[in-house]
Amino acid sequence: MKILLLENISLTAKKSLENVGYDVTIFKENIEDDKILSQIKNTDILGIRSRSQITKEIILQAPQLKAIGCFCIGTNQVDLDFAKIKGIPVFNAPFSNTRSVAEMVLGEIIILSRNIHIRNLELHRGVWSKVASGSFEIRGKVLGIVGYGRIGSQLGIIAESLGMQVIYYDIERKLSLGNATECDNLEKLLSKSDFVSLHVPETPQTKNLISKRELLQMKKGAKLINASRGNVVAIDDLVEALKSEHISSVAIDVFPQEPKDNNDPFKSELIKFDNALLTPHIGGSTIEAQENIAIEVCDKFINFIKNGSTVGAVNFPQTSLQKSKDSASRILHVHKNTPGMLEKINNVFAKNNLNISSQILQTEGDIGYAIIDSSSIINKEIELSLEKIENTINTRVIKN
């Protein structure tokens, strides 16, 4: 297996995969670099972070590609539908940077509450402004969390331990943790909150979720924090809310347009505001988070390569099969979800007098994925027969 890791993924990933015996190449650059594009055609497994855009065109240049791993939470940088059509599962790390993001947001809440970011800028300019005006404790303040998933719920627990009153809104009903209270709608949350923190995925429904209307629904003098996705907040509307002082301060970690790498300049209307605490998409950028992400995604890679497990894939039937004791070969068969596919697969085994010791088939939308264990060795001729079945996308044989 040839594995290509991009965007300065933690060396923990390289070591983890090499320890299993895989050929691993690692680059700091993203997929658009010419030296990487020249290697993609021979890559079996691809690991990226958030900057590499894995489009249909990129996937077509990688005929050997078997899986993609996003060493982050988001997967919107990958054409998930086309990867699925080509039989390529896409994995991510939805759990590993939860604590890092929650801790950073909590720190930003304290910074905004005490105007530490403004006092810091003033001192850098030689201005000594030792004042209490506009500075508050966070104890007793209302934190409104929009999106009560892994990060939002953990933030709520930590904030509550410091004396904040936590309310939340989510499009799905969620179990409240601690003393957090669910809001029936977004408007109610915005009108009650001293701080609003966003923790939603990037979807068509969340684009400009917070725009002029929602900003005006917030308390005058409230503070907004976005560590989710850049297009969730309409930046032009946020600029106007800061100018009018309806929103007293913001902490923004993600932006609609972000530099491709650290050598590109950052441009935003928000840089004109001292009361805007801006960070370069570093919510999950801690040593602990990056190591945990590396371990989480690599575990999924290894289980997929060794066993064909697609548990944790975001675009694929989630399938796993415990190996039977007498299994000599395992066949992985990805196909279009059409009637009679399992019968056609089983007919190949029957015609070649091969025993099936266990099997499982899962479908998702227009894709089917079968894992079959046989007590016989599957040779190349039989593998080709499986590949020739109509509506087959790809096959792989794992010899035990």
Side-chain angles (χ1 to χ4, degrees), residues 61-117:
Q61 293 183 56
Q64 293 182 196
L65 194 60
K66 298 172 178 63
I68 298 170
C70 298
F71 285 69
C72 50
I73 294 178
T75 56
N76 54 295
Q77 68 274 42
V78 180
D79 188 331
L80 297 176
D81 291 336
F82 191 71
K84 181 180 180 181
I85 289 170
K86 300 300 287 185
I88 301 168
V90 178
F91 301 100
N92 67 336
F95 306 105
S96 297
N97 68 357
T98 301
R99 180 70 183 197
S100 294
V101 177
E103 283 188 4
M104 189 182 84
V105 171
L106 183 66
E108 290 175 332
I109 290 171
I110 295 172
I111 288 170
L112 295 183
S113 187
R114 297 292 301 276
N115 286 316
I116 293 171
H117 54 313

Side-chain angles (χ1 to χ4, degrees), residues 244-265:
S244 69
E245 299 183 355
H246 183 76
I247 301 299
S248 65
S249 57
V250 298
I252 307 294
D253 186 52
V254 288
F255 304 88
Q257 288 84 38
E258 297 182 357
K260 292 181 180 180
D261 56 43
N262 291 344
N263 297 317
D264 285 349

Side-chain angles (χ1 to χ4, degrees), residues 115-136:
N115 286 316
I116 293 171
H117 54 313
I118 298 175
R119 300 290 90 85
N120 172 68
L121 288 172
E122 288 171 342
L123 281 182
H124 277 278
R125 296 164 183 163
V127 177
W128 182 268
S129 182
K130 188 178 186 298
V131 296
S133 176
S135 294
F136 303 91

